[in-house]
Amino acid sequence: MSALKFRLPPNDGPVLSVVDMHTGGEPLRIVLSGAPVPDGSTVLEKRRWVRENMDWVRRLLMLEPRGHRDMYGALLVPSELPEAHLGVLFMHNEGYSTMCGHAVIALGRFAVDYGLVDPQGPETPVNIHCPCGVVRAYVSHNEGRSREVRFHSVPAFTLCTDETVNVPNYGEVVVDIAYGGAFYAFVSAQRFGLDVCTSKTRDLVDAAAAVTDAVKAQVKISHPDSEDLAFLYGTILTDGKDEYSEEPTANLCIFADSQVDRSPTGSGVTARIALQYHKGLIQLEQTRTFKSGATNSLFTGKAVQETKCGAHKAVIVEVSGQAYYTGTASFVLENEDPLKDGFLLK
C-alpha cells in the first residue's frame, strides 16, 4: 500500500492541536491551538472563567476517548504580569489545579524549544505564571538540546501538623497538611498496612481518597492570598522516611477525582520539603531525592530560602526533574457523536 498522506478526518467543530510530554511518567498535554482565549484580567480570573464557560476543552482533551482518567493538561494563557514569559491553567480529570510541578518542568523545556523564550547561556530562565503565582524555571542546555529543568516554587508552608480526622472504614488518622502551590494531606502508607512502592494501586487510591474526603469535610483550609487557593488538592501517601537521608524517600500522590500521579509530584515534593523544614528534619540547601511509588522516577528538592506567606513561616523550594516529548496530535469531534463531550469510567 502506498503511503497515506496526512489530513484531518471529517469533523464539525474546533480542531485542537497539542504537544504531548511526560515528566517522570506523568503526562502533560499542552494545547497549541484551537482553544479560545479566556476572558479575565488575571490568571486566577481566567481560571474561573474557563471553569464556568470553557470546560469543553478540558473534557475533550482530558477525558476518554481522547484522553484517560489520569491525563493532565496545560492551557497557555496571557499573563497580566510583565515578568512572566507565559501564563498557564492546569487541567485534570476533575477540574483545574493551582500548581503543577511536573507540568512546570515540561513547560520549561517547551517554552525554550518552541521559541517562547530565547535560549541564554547554559541555563535559560523561564517565568511561568501559574494560578498560585509566578514559578521561576531554569532550563539547562547540552549539545544544542534542552535538558533538565529546575524551578523555584511560590512560598511553601505547613498549615497544620498532627491533625486527627475520622476516616470511614479506617478510623482516626493523623495527618499533616502543607502547601506547595496546592494543599496536600500527608500520611504514611504504613498507617493503612500498605507500601507506596509495592501495594496494589487500587488499595493505595482507596486509602488516600478516603483521607482526602475526610480532611475536606473536617478541616478548614485557608490561604492568605486568595480563597481560590484554599482547597485540599489531594493526599500524598509516603514511606514514612521523613528524617533526612541521602537515600530516596518514596511517595504517591492521589489527587482530584482519585487521579494517580505517576511522577514524584513537583508541588507535592515542594509541600513535603516545607513540612520537613517546619519539623526541623531538613536544613536549607540540603538536597533530598524523592521517588515515585508508581514508576520509580526521581525528583530532587531542597529548601533554598526562608520567606513568609501571610502569617505563615514559609520557604522557597527548588525542585529538579526531566521531561520528555512523546508526540503531537490534532483532535477533532463530530457533532453527531453521542460521546463527543468525553466521559470517565467510574
Side-chain angles (χ1 to χ4, degrees):
M1 180 185 293
S2 60
L4 295 174
K5 188 174 182 179
F6 173 81
R7 63 182 176 87
L8 290 175
N11 65 89
D12 308 308
V15 177
L16 292 169
S17 296
V18 303
V19 171
D20 278 358
M21 302 180 72
H22 83 88
T23 312
E26 179 69 359
L28 184 69
R29 178 161 285 169
I30 304 168
V31 183
L32 274 184
S33 63
V37 177
D39 283 351
S41 59
T42 69
V43 166
L44 274 177
E45 288 179 3
K46 291 178 174 69
R47 177 176 174 268
R48 289 194 294 268
W49 191 89
V50 166
R51 185 174 56 204
E52 296 167 4
N53 300 280
M54 214 172 91
D55 196 49
W56 63 268
V57 173
R58 180 190 67 85
R59 293 185 58 85
L60 189 146
L61 293 177
M62 298 297 101
L63 308 187
E64 295 187 56
R66 300 166 191 86
H68 53 81
R69 166 168 284 281
D70 298 297
M71 179 56 74
Y72 206 94
L75 177 66
L76 304 185
V77 298
S79 167
E80 72 275 14
L81 301 178
E83 69 267 31
H85 294 105
L86 66 148
V88 62
L89 303 180
F90 303 117
M91 305 180 290
H92 48 71
N93 68 12
E94 187 181 52
Y96 304 87
S97 177
T98 54
M99 172 55 188
C100 179
H102 95 273
V104 164
I105 290 169
L107 287 168
R109 281 200 73 191
F110 171 85
V112 171
D113 295 337
Y114 277 74
L116 299 182
V117 296
D118 295 326
Q120 302 175 22
E123 197 175 53
T124 300
V126 182
N127 295 334
I128 301 173
H129 188 181
C130 307
C132 63
V134 175
V135 176
R136 306 186 190 282
Y138 302 87
V139 184
S140 64
H141 306 264
N142 185 268
E143 298 179 347
R145 293 185 63 182
S146 60
R147 302 287 183 178
E148 186 178 59
V149 177
R150 62 187 178 94
F151 69 82
H152 285 181
S153 72
V154 296
F157 60 89
T158 296
L159 182 69
C160 59
T161 59
D162 298 327
E163 185 78 23
T164 300
V165 291
N166 191 348
V167 183
N169 299 321
Y170 297 98
E172 290 190 343
V173 177
V174 178
V175 303
D176 299 326
I177 301 174
Y179 177 80
F183 283 101
Y184 297 96
F186 291 87
V187 61
S188 172
Q190 296 169 357
R191 164 60 183 80
F192 308 99
L194 300 173
D195 183 290
V196 289
C197 295
T198 62
S199 293
K200 292 181 179 179
T201 302
R202 182 73 261 166
D203 294 337
L204 294 163
V205 169
D206 287 346
V211 170
T212 296
D213 290 344
V215 172
K216 285 181 176 180
Q218 299 169 41
V219 181
K220 171 66 176 174
I221 303 290
S222 61
H223 192 284
D225 292 342
S226 173
E227 278 301 306
D228 284 354
L229 306 176
F231 65 95
L232 188 76
Y233 189 32
T235 293
I236 296 179
L237 300 177
T238 77
D239 59 7
K241 298 177 181 177
D242 292 324
E243 294 280 353
Y244 176 76
S245 170
E246 294 184 358
E247 294 298 314
T249 175
N251 49 236
L252 186 72
C253 177
I254 313 300
F255 66 98
D257 183 6
S258 297
Q259 190 160 336
V260 181
D261 196 333
R262 275 70 170 158
S263 80
T265 308
S267 55
V269 165
T270 301
R272 195 171 172 204
I273 288 177
L275 181 62
Q276 291 173 354
Y277 188 80
H278 174 82
K279 291 184 173 183
L281 302 176
I282 193 170
Q283 305 303 312
L284 288 179
E285 298 295 343
Q286 203 167 31
T287 300
R288 288 207 74 178
T289 301
F290 296 82
K291 181 173 72 171
S292 164
T295 62
N296 293 325
S297 58
L298 302 175
F299 288 170
T300 60
K302 60 182 178 181
V304 296
Q305 178 188 334
E306 290 185 339
T307 185
K308 297 276 286 185
C309 187
H312 298 283
K313 293 181 179 179
V315 286
I316 302 298
V317 175
E318 180 179 293
V319 177
S320 300
Q322 174 71 63
Y324 298 93
Y325 293 97
T326 56
T328 62
S330 293
F331 292 100
V332 302
L333 62 83
E334 295 184 275
N335 283 329
E336 63 266 31
D337 178 0
L339 299 177
K340 66 179 183 295
D341 294 326
F343 63 93
L344 283 181
L345 296 182
K346 295 289 186 181

